[in-house]
């Protein structure tokens, strides 16, 4: 019974790890989409900041802006460039993670075609699904295996009886001389 319980537990763990892999791939997928959009936004912001720097420099030359304004915006531009480099590094790491998890090449173009659902089920709906989760089922099977282990250990402490018996044949010989 214990072996059977352990086998059921391993099957449920396999299902759980499959779901975990699916979750990891999905999280990595959406992280890549997020970082790509963040990179696009940073590029647009960088372009706008560069235009603003050109405008402020013109205003500085005619005396309508101070040098501190120019330096402040140039500092913002440097920060944007640093953020852009950071996002590129995160994107590269996320793509390598997706490659590891799914086997897709790093340069695969990803599209988000799903829309967010309108209404979500109630909390009770999700709570009712908990007993069917593979990790929960696996834990239940492991508990059953542990209960069987307790029974085995308990049986080992019970008194035991050894019964050994020998049975001897006794054959008597009668001699022909006549005893």
């Amino acid at each position: 019974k214990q072996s059977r319980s352990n086998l059921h537990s391993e099957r449920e763990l396999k299902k759980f790890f499959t779901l975990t892999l699916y979750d990891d791939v999905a999280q990595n997928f959406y992280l890549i989409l997020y970082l790509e959009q963040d990179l696009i936004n940073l590029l647009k912001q960088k372009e706008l900041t560069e235009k603003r720097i050109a405008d402020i420099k013109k205003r500085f030359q005619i005396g309508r802006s101070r040098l501190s304004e120019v330096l402040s915006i140039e500092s913002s531009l440097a920060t944007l460039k640093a953020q852009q480099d950071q996002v590129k590094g995160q994107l590269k790491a996320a793509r390598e993670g997706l490659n590891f998890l799914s086997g897709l090449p790093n340069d695969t173009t990803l599209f988000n075609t799903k829309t967010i659902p309108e209404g979500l089920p109630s909390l009770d709906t999700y709570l009712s699904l908990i007993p069917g989760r593979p990790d929960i089922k696996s834990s239940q099977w492991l508990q059953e295996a542990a209960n069987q282990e307790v029974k085995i250990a308990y049986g080992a402490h019970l008194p035991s009886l050894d019964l050994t018996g020998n049975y001897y044949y006794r054959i008597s010989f009668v001699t022909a001389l006549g005893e």
Side-chain angles (χ1 to χ4, degrees):
K1 287 182 179 181
Q2 181 186 20
S3 296
R4 192 171 343 139
S5 296
N6 282 329
L7 181 64
H8 286 300
S9 172
E10 292 298 323
R11 286 182 183 152
E12 294 299 329
L13 278 176
K14 181 181 178 190
K15 290 178 190 176
F16 174 71
F17 288 129
T18 302
L19 290 173
T20 302
L21 176 63
Y22 178 79
D23 182 55
D24 289 346
V25 169
Q27 284 185 10
N28 212 297
F29 171 83
Y30 285 109
L31 176 63
I32 290 170
L33 291 179
Y34 167 78
L35 290 172
E36 286 176 346
Q37 185 60 49
D38 198 23
L39 193 59
I40 290 169
N41 294 342
L42 285 170
L43 288 171
K44 288 179 183 176
Q45 194 173 359
K46 181 182 157 194
E47 289 174 12
L48 293 173
T49 303
E50 288 171 343
K51 287 180 184 177
R52 179 75 177 139
I53 288 174
D55 290 343
I56 292 292
K57 282 185 177 180
K58 287 178 186 175
R59 291 176 54 109
F60 174 71
Q61 290 173 350
I62 60 174
R64 291 191 162 182
S65 292
R66 289 181 253 160
L67 181 61
S68 62
E69 291 178 40
V70 175
L71 295 175
S72 175
I73 294 177
E74 286 178 345
S75 172
S76 296
L77 180 63
T79 302
L80 286 173
K81 287 179 181 179
Q83 287 176 340
Q84 185 179 359
D85 289 341
Q86 182 181 15
V87 169
K88 283 180 181 178
Q90 290 173 340
L91 184 59
K92 182 179 178 185
R95 286 205 166 267
E96 287 174 3
L98 185 65
N99 174 273
F100 174 76
L101 292 170
S102 67
L104 292 173
N106 286 349
D107 59 348
T108 302
T109 304
L110 304 178
F111 300 101
N112 183 11
T113 58
K114 297 287 183 182
T115 57
I116 298 174
E118 289 289 325
L120 296 175
S122 68
L123 178 61
D124 292 333
T125 303
Y126 292 110
L127 292 175
S128 68
L129 296 174
I130 289 175
R133 289 179 42 166
D135 56 332
I136 301 297
K137 286 182 176 180
S138 173
S139 296
Q140 290 170 339
W141 284 112
L142 284 175
Q143 181 183 5
E144 179 63 30
N147 289 341
Q148 294 300 323
E149 183 70 26
V150 168
K151 288 180 181 179
I152 292 168
Y154 178 75
H157 291 294
L158 290 176
S160 61
L161 175 65
D162 258 347
L163 182 62
T164 306
N166 289 326
Y167 184 75
Y168 293 104
Y169 287 104
R170 189 167 187 152
I171 302 175
S172 24
F173 291 99
V174 179
T175 60
L177 297 174
E179 191 180 306

